[in-house]
């Protein structure tokens, strides 16, 4: 089968299409013939080598989110899964066939495409649990920093569904601003969090997908008792002394936290993702697909992400799907 592996950490050109034997599911696993593969910021960080300390090595096959049809099951897995269209949270998804733990499987609604499933699945779960981690409550104001990607787009929509009093976003262009307004954003700011003459002076919750050098400046945009949660780091780590901005405003009782979906149990993730899929099937949530590219064009997909060209989600599809 065809797969895409990291030959050399660094730029997208370090990715390469390779041939591998067809995998065989072990106990508790299934084999999925992939129809759609989500491409995200986490993939780019692994590819760059930024997460090598976590055990990722050259030769690693990217891809944590897939949708397709179960082709085989390992011991201990109900054989009724065979032939079902499913979404799965896994590893090694940039491939024509991928192994996934049976515990992560979620049947796709009849009306949901595989492409929409990987556009919504992980992004929606991170957005949901990120807002929960921030103790977001109806009526509160929310700022989504870096709202044009999959997680940001879902955070905007879920904040609106949750009754936010205002939903501000940072983005880089008027065209993106218009699209985010159509998804529910009430105020649009530039990347520095400025602009928007009628925008709130402060926010109760900031969901930050960007991190990087400018993260500390956003503490000034938190209300008293405000909470900032970093759910991503597409611009890299913040400065080592970033928390000093909070200490400088000690009397505002602000808080900062990180959030990783790795801390969510498989049953909780499945339950929330199923709810999001059902809401999308009812037309209550929008999936935003930037482009579907062949698996063999994974390099191009990562180049587009790196150039900031993507609004929504890029999806890879094996040839013929």
């Amino acid at each position: 089968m065809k797969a895409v592996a990291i030959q050399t950490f660094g730029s997208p050109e370090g990715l390469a299409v390779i041939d591998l034997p067809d995998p065989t599911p072990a106990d508790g696993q299934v084999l999925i013939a992939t129809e759609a593969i989500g491409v995200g910021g986490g993939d780019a960080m692994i590819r760059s080598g930024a997460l090598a300390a976590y055990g990722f090595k050259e030769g690693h096959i990217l891809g944590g989110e897939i949708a397709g049809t179960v082709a085989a099951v390992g011991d201990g897995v109900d054989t009724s899964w065979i032939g079902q269209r499913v979404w799965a949270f896994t590893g090694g998804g940039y491939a024509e066939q991928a192994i996934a733990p049976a515990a992560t499987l979620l049947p796709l609604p009849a009306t949901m495409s595989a492409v929409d499933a990987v556009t919504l699945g992980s992004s929606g779960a991170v957005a949901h649990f990120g807002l929960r981690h921030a103790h977001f409550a109806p009526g509160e104001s929310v700022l989504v920093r870096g709202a044009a990607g999959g997680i940001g787009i879902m955070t905007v929509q879920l904040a609106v569904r949750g009754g936010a009093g205002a939903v501000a976003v940072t983005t880089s262009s008027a065209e993106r601003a218009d699209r985010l307004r159509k998804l529910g954003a009430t105020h649009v700011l530039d990347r520095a969090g400025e602009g928007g003459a009628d925008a709130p002076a402060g926010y109760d919750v900031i969901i930050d997908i960007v991190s990087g050098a400018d993260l500390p400046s956003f503490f000034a945009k938190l209300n008293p008792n405000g909470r900032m949660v970093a759910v991503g780091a597409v611009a890299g780590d913040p400065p080592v002394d970033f928390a000093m901005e909070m200490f400088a405003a000690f009397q505002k009782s602000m808080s900062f936290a990180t959030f990783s979906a790795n801390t969510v149990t498989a049953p909780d993730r499945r339950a929330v993702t199923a709810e999001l899929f059902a809401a999308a099937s009812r037309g209550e949530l929008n999936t935003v697909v930037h482009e579907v590219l062949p698996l063999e064009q994974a390099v191009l997909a990562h180049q587009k992400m790196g150039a900031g060209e993507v609004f929504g989600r890029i999806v890879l599809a094996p040839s013929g799907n």
Side-chain angles (χ1 to χ4, degrees):
M1 70 170 186
K2 300 292 185 185
V4 175
I6 302 171
Q7 278 197 326
T8 307
F9 282 136
S11 69
E13 291 73 21
L15 297 175
V17 178
I18 62 173
D19 288 304
L20 291 175
D22 292 349
T24 301
D27 293 359
Q29 296 179 333
V30 303
L31 176 66
I32 298 173
T34 56
E35 298 173 24
I37 304 152
V39 179
D43 295 335
M45 292 179 68
I46 295 169
R47 183 214 73 226
S48 73
L51 301 182
Y54 292 89
F56 295 103
K57 300 177 180 179
E58 291 178 344
H60 176 77
I61 298 172
L62 294 171
E65 178 174 19
I66 59 174
T69 301
V70 176
V73 301
D75 290 343
V77 180
D78 191 336
T79 57
S80 67
W81 280 111
I82 297 175
Q84 288 200 51
R85 297 175 63 249
V86 298
W87 172 91
F89 183 70
T90 186
Y94 283 24
E96 293 176 323
Q97 299 181 78
I99 297 292
T104 73
L105 297 183
L106 192 64
L108 295 189
T111 57
M112 175 165 280
S113 70
V115 168
D116 283 342
V118 298
T119 300
L120 172 58
S122 287
S123 294
V126 171
H128 170 91
F129 288 109
L131 286 167
R132 190 173 79 172
H133 205 61
H135 301 286
F136 163 68
E140 290 190 316
S141 55
V142 177
L143 170 60
V144 183
R145 182 176 177 229
I151 295 171
I153 286 169
M154 291 312 306
T155 302
V156 168
Q157 294 185 76
L158 293 181
V160 172
R161 286 187 90 217
V167 180
V169 296
T170 68
T171 191
S172 59
S173 71
E175 186 266 339
R176 291 184 172 199
D178 288 342
R179 296 183 71 177
L180 287 163
R181 286 192 182 96
K182 291 176 181 176
L183 292 168
T186 56
H187 304 87
V188 177
L189 313 177
D190 63 21
R191 284 182 169 175
E194 304 299 333
D198 59 343
Y203 300 90
D204 301 306
V205 170
I206 296 177
I207 301 296
D208 189 347
I209 300 131
V210 181
S211 292
D214 294 333
L215 181 150
S217 67
F218 281 81
F219 286 123
K221 303 183 187 305
L222 281 175
N223 288 331
N225 299 306
R227 293 87 66 197
M228 182 190 300
V229 175
V231 300
V234 295
D237 293 335
V240 294
D241 61 349
F242 76 94
M244 294 307 298
E245 295 291 337
M246 280 201 301
F247 273 80
F250 196 92
Q251 293 178 324
K252 289 177 69 177
S253 300
M254 298 180 294
S255 61
F256 173 83
T258 59
F259 171 74
S260 167
N262 290 336
T263 59
V264 180
T265 65
D268 283 349
R269 178 192 285 271
R270 289 181 76 254
V272 166
T273 305
E275 291 173 4
L276 296 175
F277 282 178
S281 296
R282 295 191 299 267
E284 297 168 10
L285 290 173
N286 293 298
T287 56
V288 180
V289 181
H290 179 84
E291 188 174 7
V292 179
L293 293 172
L295 175 64
E296 293 81 1
Q297 292 186 22
V299 169
L300 178 59
H302 279 244
Q303 288 172 336
K304 287 175 176 283
M305 282 200 303
E309 297 178 11
V310 179
F311 184 89
R313 187 77 144 164
I314 283 190
V315 176
L316 297 175
S319 299
N321 289 342

